[in-house]
Amino acid sequence: MATCAFRDTRPTTARSTIWQVHGDDARAMTLRLLEACEAIRLVPPGGSVALKPNLVLADVAEHGAVTHPGVVSGCIEYFRAHDVRDISVIESSWIGDNTMRALRRAGYEDLCRHHNVPFFDLKRDVTRSVGTAIGPMDICERALDAGLLVDLPVLKGHCQTRMTCALKNLKGCIPDSEKRRFHALGLTKPIAALGAALKPGLVVVDSICGDLCFEEGGTPVQTNMMFACEDVVEADAYGRSLMGLRVGDVPYIELAERYGAGRARWCKKDVVRLNEAVDCGGYVGPGATVARLTRRVHEDRACSACYAALVRALYATGRGTTQDIFIGQGWQGASPDGLGIGRCCKGASSCVPGCPPTAEAIANVLE
Ligand code: SF4
């Protein structure tokens, strides 16, 4: 008999099937998932489809940070074949990177040209203030107004939230000013509230080679797997278990359920395997490496790009524990005794300037 990953004792919304496929051909795997879940029934009559991949920074999918372009190709081909006319790709990279640079580096520029599908940089989009569980939030209109918003995250580690998948990928649907505010608010509540505000109708997760530890890639783990689910919270709950993390390790998942974004539970019987695993490495928990590196890091509301740059620098130099390091908006105006990272920590004894500073700049100072 199937056992639940999370004991279900409360009334919930209907279960969502998790469709899972193994392989290394992102396009073919995506087509198979969309056909299995009959994704076309989720598009309102005459409605548009907005595809939201993860192009957090300028890199190629093989490094573990960005969504494989084959996933987007598969989506476009599927919805085109079902007579959807209005298909677009939308995204904004993290603070400190240029979305169009990320678009080109990941191969999306050629892809969009080949399929004659527009790409919209959401850093330039019009925003609307939306009431959420934590108050008004500015959200990009192209995400809000899509007939079907398809969330296409990479399942990977994250040096602050431990993992990132469907809920956190939606952070690319807000302007940079909101991204900064998310970090000032501590990420958990705003990520959960944004999930409830946007509630994508379909999630297709690229877990072919997501990064073990870092949002920005560099230590990819080949797992050759993808899955799709109509519930953004359930997708994250399942992804969390694949990463070897437990309930409570990623608090925004349960909070998103409380805010009405979906259900934070899944059962084995919810998972439909479309084929058997081939050549897949196992998942390894993402926490240990980062925990060791950041033992003397005092983080208070740091932006992702800033914190990731620091972790990358610590990783690259192997200098995880030699001095106290301060980072984040919470240190503004303070004079801590140690190395400050970025503009927010310019009051520290010494400081790496920038907003955010590069990993290279930090590594140079560490060395
Ligand atoms: S210095 Fe770092 S933490 Fe501060 S605002 Fe800039 S990117 Fe964010």
Side-chain angles (χ1 to χ4, degrees), residues 221-265:
V221 181
Q222 198 75 27
T223 46
N224 288 354
M225 198 262 268
M226 291 181 64
F227 62 93
C229 179
E230 290 173 37
D231 185 318
V232 65
V233 186
E234 192 171 343
D236 267 21
Y238 185 55
R240 175 179 57 197
S241 71
L242 292 175
M243 296 281 291
L245 299 171
R246 286 167 292 189
V247 173
D249 284 343
V250 190
Y252 65 69
I253 296 177
E254 272 65 40
L255 194 57
E257 180 180 75
R258 277 210 268 142
Y259 288 168
R263 45 174 296 130
R265 283 145 283 180

Side-chain angles (χ1 to χ4, degrees), residues 107-139:
Y108 280 59
E109 192 173 47
D110 292 342
L111 179 157
C112 288
R113 193 181 302 123
H114 173 75
H115 289 289
N116 195 23
V117 162
F119 176 86
F120 295 105
D121 177 359
L122 296 186
K123 286 188 196 252
R124 296 158 180 259
D125 198 24
V126 177
T127 61
R128 208 157 61 227
S129 180
V130 175
T132 74
I134 61 163
M137 188 182 287
D138 290 337
I139 303 178

Side-chain angles (χ1 to χ4, degrees), residues 43-343:
V43 184
S48 63
V49 170
L51 305 172
K52 164 63 180 79
N54 185 329
L55 292 175
V56 60
L57 78 175
D59 206 348
V60 293
E62 289 72 20
H63 291 168
V66 304
T67 306
H68 196 290
V71 176
V72 175
S73 274
C75 288
I76 294 170
E77 287 177 39
Y78 173 85
F79 287 112
R80 275 266 167 80
H82 288 82
D83 293 328
V84 177
R85 302 259 171 267
D86 187 352
I87 304 172
S88 60
V89 183
I90 61 173
E91 170 63 317
S92 76
S93 300
W94 67 3
I95 297 168
D97 215 325
N98 177 302
T99 311
M100 301 312 285
R101 207 167 71 91
L103 177 87
R104 284 189 288 277
R105 178 82 172 110
Y108 280 59
E109 192 173 47
D110 292 342
L111 179 157
C112 288
R113 193 181 302 123
H114 173 75
H115 289 289
N116 195 23
V117 162
F119 176 86
F120 295 105
D121 177 359
L122 296 186
K123 286 188 196 252
R124 296 158 180 259
D125 198 24
V126 177
T127 61
R128 208 157 61 227
S129 180
V130 175
T132 74
I134 61 163
M137 188 182 287
D138 290 337
I139 303 178
C140 297
E141 290 200 339
R142 288 196 182 276
L144 285 170
D145 296 339
L148 173 66
L149 176 62
V150 186
D151 190 353
L152 303 171
V154 177
L155 175 62
K156 55 186 172 175
H158 189 281
C159 52
Q160 289 165 293
T161 58
R162 302 200 70 182
M163 67 165 267
T164 163
C165 189
L167 284 162
K168 194 166 173 305
N169 189 41
L170 298 174
K171 201 158 153 269
C173 299
I174 55 174
D176 281 0
S177 54
E178 272 295 3
K179 288 177 193 151
R180 279 199 181 86
R181 196 171 72 93
F182 268 40
H183 287 276
L185 293 171
L187 287 179
T188 295
K189 286 183 179 175
I191 288 173
L194 178 61
L198 275 176
K199 239 180 169 174
L202 179 64
V203 179
V204 181
V205 179
D206 174 356
S207 181
I208 295 173
C209 67
D211 199 88
L212 174 65
C213 303
F214 306 115
E215 180 181 20
E216 75 277 29
T219 51
V221 181
Q222 198 75 27
T223 46
N224 288 354
M225 198 262 268
M226 291 181 64
F227 62 93
C229 179
E230 290 173 37
D231 185 318
V232 65
V233 186
E234 192 171 343
D236 267 21
Y238 185 55
R240 175 179 57 197
S241 71
L242 292 175
M243 296 281 291
L245 299 171
R246 286 167 292 189
V247 173
D249 284 343
V250 190
Y252 65 69
I253 296 177
E254 272 65 40
L255 194 57
E257 180 180 75
R258 277 210 268 142
Y259 288 168
R263 45 174 296 130
R265 283 145 283 180
W266 63 277
C267 273
K268 283 184 181 172
K269 66 183 178 189
D270 297 335
V271 182
V272 176
R273 291 171 186 267
L274 300 175
N275 61 4
E276 290 306 313
V278 281
D279 297 334
C280 296
Y283 281 86
V284 186
T289 305
V290 173
R292 179 178 55 78
L293 289 171
T294 57
R295 208 148 52 90
R296 294 187 64 178
V297 172
H298 306 275
E299 188 261 351
D300 188 354
R301 289 170 277 158
C303 298
S304 297
C306 210
Y307 197 75
L310 171 61
V311 175
R312 292 297 301 164
L314 291 167
Y315 189 67
T317 59
R319 300 290 176 101
T321 57
T322 55
Q323 61 183 316
D324 285 316
I325 298 174
F326 299 85
I327 183 168
Q329 298 173 63
W331 292 104
Q332 280 173 350
S335 310
D337 186 13
L339 175 65
I341 305 298
R343 188 181 65 191

